[in-house]
Amino acid sequence: MKISYNWLKQFINLDWSPEKTGELLTNLGLEVEGIEKFTSVPGGLEGIVVGHVTECIEHPNADRLKLTKVDLGNGEPVQIVCGAPNVATGQKVPVATVGTTLYDAKGEPWQIKKGKIRGEVSMGMICAEDELGLGQSHDGIMVLDNELAPGKPASELFNIENDIVFEIGLTPNRADAMSHWGVARDLRAGLLQENISLELITPSTSSFHVDNRTLKIDVDVEDMDKAPRYCGVTISGLTVEQSPTWLQNRLQAIGITPINNIVDITNYVCHDLGQPLHAFDAAKIKGSEVTVKTLAAGTTFTTLDEVERELHEDDLMICDAEGPMCIAGVFGGINSGVSETTTSIFLESAYFDPISVRKTAKRHGLNTDASFRFERGIDPNTCKYAMLRAVLLIQEIAGGEITSEIVDIYPKKIEDHQVYLNFDNAAKLIGEEISPETIKDILNSLDMKINSVTESGIGMLIPAYRNDVTREVDVIEEILRVYGYNNINFTEKLNASIAITQPVEDYKVQNKVGDQLTALGFHEMMANSLTNPDFIEYSEALKPEHNVTMLNPLSNDLSVLRQSMLFGNLEALAYNSNRRMPNVKLFEFGKTYHNFSEDRIENKHLSILISGEKTEDNWASPSKQTTFFYGKGIILSILERIGINNITEKDTKNDIFTEAISISANKKTLVEFGILKKHLTKKFDVEAEVFYADFNWDEVLNAISRKEFHVKPIPKYPQVKRDFALLLDENITFKALKDAAKQTEKKLLVAMNLFDVYTGKNLPEGKKSYAVSFTLQDDKKTLTDKQIDKIMKKLQQRFEKDFGATLR
C-alpha cells in the first residue's frame, strides 16, 4: 500500500523527516518496506532554464530546421538547431542544456548531448510542453512570459509537486490503516508516546446542503445481511472533464492513473478515508431505482473490463429496474459508469459484508481497490461522512447541484464492542508493568473509549472499525505496539521451560529419512494438497464421497484435497520427463485427506517414486536400469535406519500395481511397494516403468522401537563361509529358505545370502537353481571343521525335508 507524505500531512501537521516518520510507522506495526521520491514532472525540470532567442535563421542544409542563437544568461549565446515551426527571434523559451535528462512518453530517460544536426552544431534543445512533461501538446515549442530573465531555472516557474511515498507492507488484520486517515491516526498515537501532541485534522462537511429534489432515485436493499448499510445521493448539472493538477498529483503519487474528475474523486476519497465509493450515471439507471440483491445463478454480466461473467447465486449486485449495474463492492458494469457525456450521477457509499465480497472477488478472479478494503472490513460508521466529503469535492471541481435527499439505509447499527483489560494479564504478556495512566493514554489515542477504571483493570469500548481487536489479548497487543517494542526492558536472566516431548519426534525421524534418501540421489518434492477430482477414477480404492471439496476453489483442477499422494508424484514425474529428465528419484512427506461419514481424517504419508536408470553411463561402468529389488532395498534400508527390524513382507494385490509387496510390523501395514500399471502411468504421458512406495507414516512412527542400542567390540575370531547350490521348485522363495536356516542354526549362523539364480537349460521342468552362501562365526572361539560340517549337514537336511531341495 502506498502512502503519500504530503497527503498524510493534510491530516496531521508533522514536520519530521521521511526517514524518521517511516521508522515510527514501522515501530507501530505499519512496516515501511521502502521510501521513494515522487515528482509530478519527471526529472523535476532539472537542467531546464529560460532562454532568450536572439537570432533565428533558416538551416542551410535543411528546409524544416532553423538555426537559433539563444542567450542562457551566462554571457555567451549558444547555437541550437530547432525544428519547431513557431520558433522566432525575441521569444523566451525553455531550454534543456547539454547534460540534461529528459523522459519520453514511456518514462524512459534520455540525455541531451552536444551534437551536429545536418552539419551544424547544436548545444541543447528548445522544448515543447510534452517533452518537459508539462502537457500533451507537441504543436511547437513552449513560449514563456517575455518578462522572464534568461538563465532562470524552469523549476521556479511551474508548480511542481515533490512528494515522498511510503510503501507499507500492510498486514491483513489492519483494515483500519487502509487509508491516509487511518495511517495518520496511528501516527498521532505513536507521537503521543514521543511527547508530541498533534491534532488529527478531519475535513469538514458542514457546508453540505440539498439544493433541490428534482432527481430522486429509489433505493431498496433486499439482502440486509450482505449490505448492512447503504447510502446514496444524486448530483446534477456537473461537468465531466480532466481533474485539476493537485488531484492528479495526489493519485499519481500513489500509482493511480487519473481518468476524469468524478472517478478521480471517488478514488481520492477511497484512499483518503478508506471508504470505497461508486458513481453511476443517473441517466443510465433504468426506472430511477436501485435495488441491492442477489440474482439467479448463471445470470450474465459484463464488467468494466469488457469481460462477460457468469454470476453466482450468492453474488451481491447493484441493480436497476432492468438488470445488474455493478458487482457490489468489487467491480462496476460497462454500461452504467461515468462517461464524458454524464451530467448527473447517483453516488453510492456502502458497507458490504466482508465475507460476501471476498467470496465474490475470488470467484471472478477480481482484485480491486474497493474489494481489497471491503474484504478486510471498512468502518461502517464512515459511509455517510465519506460520501459527503466526495459530494463537496465534486461540487468544487465539477460543479453541479445536490438534487436529492441523502438515502441512508442502516436498520441495525454495527455497535462498538466491549473488552475488559486486566492489568496483571497485560504485565504477564508484555513482560513489563506499564503504568495504568500510560495505558489509558494509549487507549484514548487509539479512539478506544474507556467506560470504567478499577485497581485491577479497565473496561472499554472498541470502535467498530477495529474489527481485529475483539479480545483482551488484542488490546494488549495494541498497547504494546504503541508503547514500543523497543521500549520493553530485558533482564540478563534467561528463563526456559523443559518441554515434554513425545517418545518419537516426527520431525526428527523425517529429517533422518530425508537425509538418507538425498544421500542416495533422491530429490524431495512438495505437491499441492489441492488436486483434480477426476484422479479418483484412476483407483478403485478412492471414492468420490470421501473427497474433501473446497467451497470456493481457485479452479476446477484444484477443487478437492488429495486422497492419495500418487497422482501429485506422477505429475512431477511427467513434468521432469517432458523436459528430458527421464531418470527420476523423488520422495515427499505429506498428508492425505478423507471425508468419512463419521469424521474427516488426515493421514500422514511418505511417498517414494523411482523411474528410469539407477545409474547413468560413465567410463567405469555402464548404465543400470532400476529394478524392483533396488526399490525394495531402499525401503528396507529406511526401516532399518529408523529402528524397525521385526518386519514381515508378503505379496499383495492392488489395482494400481502389476506386482507389489506389503511390509508390516505388529500386524500393521507400514509400506506398500510395487510397479505401477501401464494404463495408469500413460494417463500422465509416462511411458517408462515406474516404481512407487507409499509409507503409512503414522504406523511407521508407532512401530519405531525405543529399545536401547548396545555397542560391542568386533569379534576377534574369524568368520567362515560355505556355499550350497540347491535345486528347488520354482515356487520356493529365498525368504523361506532364510527363515528355515535361522530356525535350524540360531547361534552361529550370522548371515545368509543369495548370490546366483539360474533357470533354463539342463534343469528339470519346474525347477530352479539357487546359489546361496552362509556366514558362520563364534564370538568365543575359532570354529573347527567338524563343527562347520555338522552345521552344514543340518541345513542340508532341513532344506531337503522342508523344500525337497537337492544339492547340485
Side-chain angles (χ1 to χ4, degrees):
M1 181 181 72
K2 293 182 182 293
I3 293 293
S4 156
Y5 200 19
N6 290 347
W7 196 338
L8 203 59
K9 289 178 181 179
Q10 293 180 185
F11 292 104
I12 187 166
N13 190 17
L14 182 63
D15 59 358
W16 275 13
S17 69
E19 291 75 19
K20 193 174 180 181
T21 304
E23 184 179 345
L24 178 57
L25 287 172
T26 298
N27 291 339
L28 287 166
L30 302 178
E31 183 180 358
V32 175
E33 297 177 339
I35 301 177
E36 298 176 351
K37 291 182 179 180
F38 168 79
T39 305
S40 58
V41 176
L45 299 183
E46 186 176 346
I48 312 296
V49 299
V50 175
H52 179 210
V53 181
T54 59
E55 182 182 320
C56 180
I57 61 175
E58 297 294 330
H59 192 294
N61 301 318
D63 294 339
R64 296 186 180 182
L65 299 179
K66 304 264 182 82
L67 279 182
T68 66
K69 291 291 176 75
V70 183
D71 178 10
L72 300 180
N74 53 7
E76 186 69 29
V78 298
Q79 178 171 285
I80 298 176
V81 177
C82 181
N86 63 329
V87 64
T89 302
Q91 292 175 336
K92 297 291 175 63
V93 294
V95 177
T97 56
V98 173
T100 298
T101 299
L102 296 179
Y103 296 82
D104 62 20
K106 295 181 180 180
E108 296 295 328
W110 60 284
Q111 195 174 56
I112 300 295
K113 298 179 180 179
K114 176 183 176 180
K116 282 189 176 182
I117 301 177
R118 292 291 183 93
E120 295 292 337
V121 174
S122 184
M123 298 290 291
M125 185 173 86
I126 304 174
C127 301
E129 66 175 35
D130 66 329
E131 293 166 335
L132 298 178
L134 296 172
Q136 303 298 321
S137 174
H138 195 70
D139 294 336
I141 59 168
M142 290 184 72
V143 179
L144 305 176
D145 187 343
N146 206 40
E147 299 299 320
L148 295 173
K152 187 178 183 66
S155 58
E156 298 178 9
L157 306 178
F158 301 96
N159 185 21
I160 300 174
E161 176 153 351
N162 294 304
D163 199 355
I164 297 295
V165 179
F166 300 104
E167 182 70 44
I168 293 179
L170 192 68
T171 52
N173 65 307
R174 291 304 308 277
D176 63 294
M178 293 185 296
S179 65
H180 287 77
W181 189 19
V183 173
R185 273 192 309 236
D186 257 23
L187 265 180
R188 179 192 61 176
L191 288 168
L192 285 173
Q193 295 305 304
E194 302 283 340
N195 296 317
I196 301 174
S197 180
L198 293 178
E199 181 184 357
L200 189 62
I201 306 166
T202 53
S204 173
T205 58
S206 59
S207 61
F208 174 88
H209 66 277
V210 178
D211 295 301
N212 57 65
R213 295 164 181 80
T214 57
L215 182 58
K216 181 184 178 184
I217 303 290
D218 295 321
V219 178
D220 180 23
V221 180
E222 293 186 4
D223 196 329
M224 298 301 302
D225 292 332
K226 289 184 172 65
R229 187 175 191 182
Y230 192 89
C231 303
V233 70
T234 64
I235 307 171
S236 302
L238 49 78
T239 303
V240 177
E241 57 187 5
Q242 192 178 60
S243 295
T245 302
W246 73 265
L247 180 53
Q248 293 190 46
N249 288 342
R250 285 285 181 269
L251 296 178
Q252 288 173 341
I254 60 173
I256 296 176
T257 303
I259 299 173
N260 60 54
N261 51 4
I262 305 301
V263 175
D264 291 349
I265 288 169
T266 61
N267 285 333
Y268 176 82
V269 173
C270 177
H271 290 271
D272 191 53
L273 301 175
Q275 171 67 54
L277 304 171
H278 192 76
F280 297 92
D281 188 329
K284 298 176 183 177
I285 301 177
K286 309 300 182 185
S288 295
E289 65 179 59
V290 168
T291 306
V292 185
K293 61 181 180 179
T294 55
L295 299 175
T299 302
T300 57
F301 176 65
T302 304
T303 45
L304 275 172
D305 55 1
E306 300 182 358
V307 175
E308 185 177 85
R309 304 178 188 276
E310 191 172 293
L311 300 179
H312 187 274
E313 58 189 7
D314 290 330
D315 292 339
L316 187 67
M317 304 297 296
I318 312 299
C319 307
D320 60 14
E322 295 185 4
M325 299 187 295
C326 175
I327 303 177
V330 181
F331 210 23
I334 195 170
N335 296 320
S336 61
V338 173
S339 65
E340 294 178 356
T341 60
T342 298
T343 58
S344 58
I345 63 169
F346 173 72
L347 186 64
E348 167 196 277
S349 179
Y351 175 83
F352 298 117
D353 175 61
I355 296 175
S356 173
V357 173
R358 182 167 61 251
K359 288 183 177 180
T360 295
K362 295 300 181 187
R363 270 194 292 266
H364 297 291
L366 293 170
N367 183 22
T368 62
D369 282 342
S371 68
F372 178 82
R373 286 159 176 78
F374 280 124
E375 287 177 26
R376 288 157 178 78
I378 63 169
D379 183 1
N381 299 318
T382 306
C383 294
K384 183 177 177 180
Y385 171 69
M387 185 180 71
L388 297 180
R389 168 81 167 132
V391 167
L392 294 177
L393 283 171
I394 289 171
Q395 284 191 300
E396 176 188 334
I397 293 171
E401 297 180 331
I402 301 166
T403 50
S404 74
E405 295 287 353
I406 292 175
V407 176
D408 187 2
I409 302 174
Y410 195 19
K412 187 177 179 180
K413 185 178 179 180
I414 299 174
E415 301 288 349
D416 297 343
H417 44 280
Q418 296 188 17
V419 175
Y420 181 79
L421 170 69
N422 182 284
F423 291 140
D424 289 339
N425 290 342
K428 287 177 183 177
L429 282 177
I430 294 173
E432 181 177 309
E433 189 170 326
I434 301 175
S435 70
E437 288 303 318
T438 302
I439 289 176
K440 285 192 289 184
D441 289 342
I442 291 173
L443 296 177
N444 283 323
S445 70
L446 293 171
D447 294 336
M448 297 181 185
K449 184 179 178 182
I450 296 174
N451 286 339
S452 61
V453 180
T454 65
E455 291 184 0
S456 60
I458 297 178
M460 73 203 77
L461 278 177
I462 309 298
Y465 66 80
R466 290 308 306 268
N467 53 32
D468 61 318
V469 181
T470 58
R471 306 164 298 170
E472 180 187 43
V473 67
D474 298 328
V475 175
I476 295 171
E477 182 182 10
E478 290 297 295
I479 293 169
L480 183 54
R481 74 177 181 84
V482 174
Y483 181 77
Y485 293 98
N486 296 334
N487 293 326
I488 302 299
N489 295 316
F490 293 91
T491 63
E492 294 182 0
K493 180 182 178 182
L494 179 64
N495 297 323
S497 300
I498 299 175
I500 300 175
T501 60
Q502 297 297 321
V504 176
E505 295 185 83
D506 187 4
Y507 79 95
K508 288 186 177 180
V509 180
Q510 287 193 31
N511 288 342
K512 187 181 292 186
V513 172
D515 289 344
Q516 180 177 356
L517 286 169
T518 52
L520 292 170
F522 283 77
H523 292 88
E524 184 171 9
M525 62 166 284
M526 292 180 67
N528 198 335
S529 295
L530 295 171
T531 189
N532 192 323
D534 295 339
F535 287 164
I536 60 170
E537 299 174 4
Y538 300 164
S539 173
E540 297 173 0
L542 308 179
K543 306 296 181 185
E545 59 269 22
H546 296 161
N547 273 337
V548 178
T549 305
M550 307 304 294
L551 294 178
N552 54 338
L554 296 172
S555 68
N556 290 332
D557 290 341
L558 298 172
S559 59
V560 299
L561 289 170
R562 62 187 176 191
Q563 290 190 49
S564 171
M565 307 273 286
L566 170 61
F567 308 116
N569 287 196
L570 285 173
E571 286 180 312
L573 172 60
Y575 185 89
N576 282 272
S577 298
N578 291 337
R579 286 155 182 79
R580 297 183 177 275
M581 298 289 289
N583 303 325
V584 175
K585 297 177 183 177
L586 300 173
F587 73 96
E588 179 185 12
F589 289 100
K591 291 183 179 180
T592 58
Y593 307 85
H594 310 272
N595 185 19
F596 298 123
S597 57
E598 64 277 5
D599 201 2
R600 289 183 175 180
I601 302 296
E602 296 182 11
N603 294 322
K604 295 179 182 178
H605 292 263
L606 163 62
S607 64
I608 294 177
L609 183 141
I610 311 170
S611 182
E613 295 177 350
K614 181 173 65 173
T615 58
E616 297 184 3
D617 276 327
N618 63 64
W619 68 273
S621 62
S623 62
K624 291 184 179 180
Q625 200 70 19
T626 299
T627 64
F628 182 92
F629 295 101
Y630 170 74
K632 178 182 174 183
I634 296 291
I635 294 167
L636 294 178
S637 68
I638 289 172
L639 296 177
E640 183 178 357
R641 178 74 177 83
I642 58 180
I644 302 177
N645 298 308
N646 188 21
I647 59 174
T648 59
E649 60 180 81
K650 63 178 181 180
D651 294 339
T652 186
K653 292 185 178 180
N654 191 305
D655 68 322
I656 65 170
F657 293 125
T658 56
E659 180 182 349
I661 60 170
S662 65
I663 298 175
S664 305
N666 303 321
K667 298 183 179 179
K668 299 289 186 180
T669 300
L670 305 183
V671 193
E672 285 191 342
F673 168 71
I675 306 171
L676 293 177
K677 290 184 176 178
K678 287 288 185 182
H679 77 85
L680 175 59
T681 57
K682 283 184 178 179
K683 293 182 184 295
F684 293 85
D685 295 325
V686 175
E687 296 292 336
E689 192 172 49
V690 181
F691 301 90
Y692 178 74
D694 181 20
F695 288 71
N696 185 331
W697 196 249
D698 292 309
E699 294 297 343
V700 169
L701 295 177
N702 291 333
I704 294 176
S705 172
R706 297 295 296 172
K707 68 181 181 180
E708 295 180 355
F709 292 88
H710 298 279
V711 178
K712 60 181 181 180
I714 298 173
K716 59 183 178 180
Y717 300 102
Q719 293 180 342
V720 177
K721 288 193 176 182
R722 293 290 187 270
D723 299 337
F724 275 165
L726 300 173
L727 188 64
L728 302 156
D729 292 338
E730 284 186 341
N731 61 343
I732 304 299
T733 65
F734 173 68
K735 184 177 183 302
L737 293 173
K738 189 174 182 179
D739 291 342
K742 285 183 177 180
Q743 292 173 4
T744 303
E745 180 51 57
K746 298 179 180 180
K747 185 178 179 182
L748 301 179
L749 181 61
V750 176
M752 178 178 174
N753 183 45
L754 175 66
F755 63 88
D756 187 44
V757 179
Y758 176 74
T759 57
K761 291 182 180 180
N762 303 323
L763 292 183
E765 187 176 350
K767 297 289 186 178
K768 63 183 176 182
S769 174
Y770 271 1
V772 293
S773 66
F774 303 89
T775 303
L776 306 173
Q777 187 177 37
D778 191 333
D779 294 342
K780 297 178 181 179
K781 61 180 184 297
T782 301
L783 291 172
T784 64
D785 288 340
K786 185 177 181 181
Q787 287 177 295
I788 296 168
D789 291 341
K790 183 178 180 181
I791 293 170
M792 297 306 295
K793 188 65 174 178
K794 283 168 47 180
L795 291 172
Q796 179 184 345
Q797 291 172 350
R798 180 65 182 268
F799 293 157
E800 289 173 349
K801 178 182 177 183
D802 290 359
F803 306 109
T806 58
L807 294 180
R808 292 186 65 199

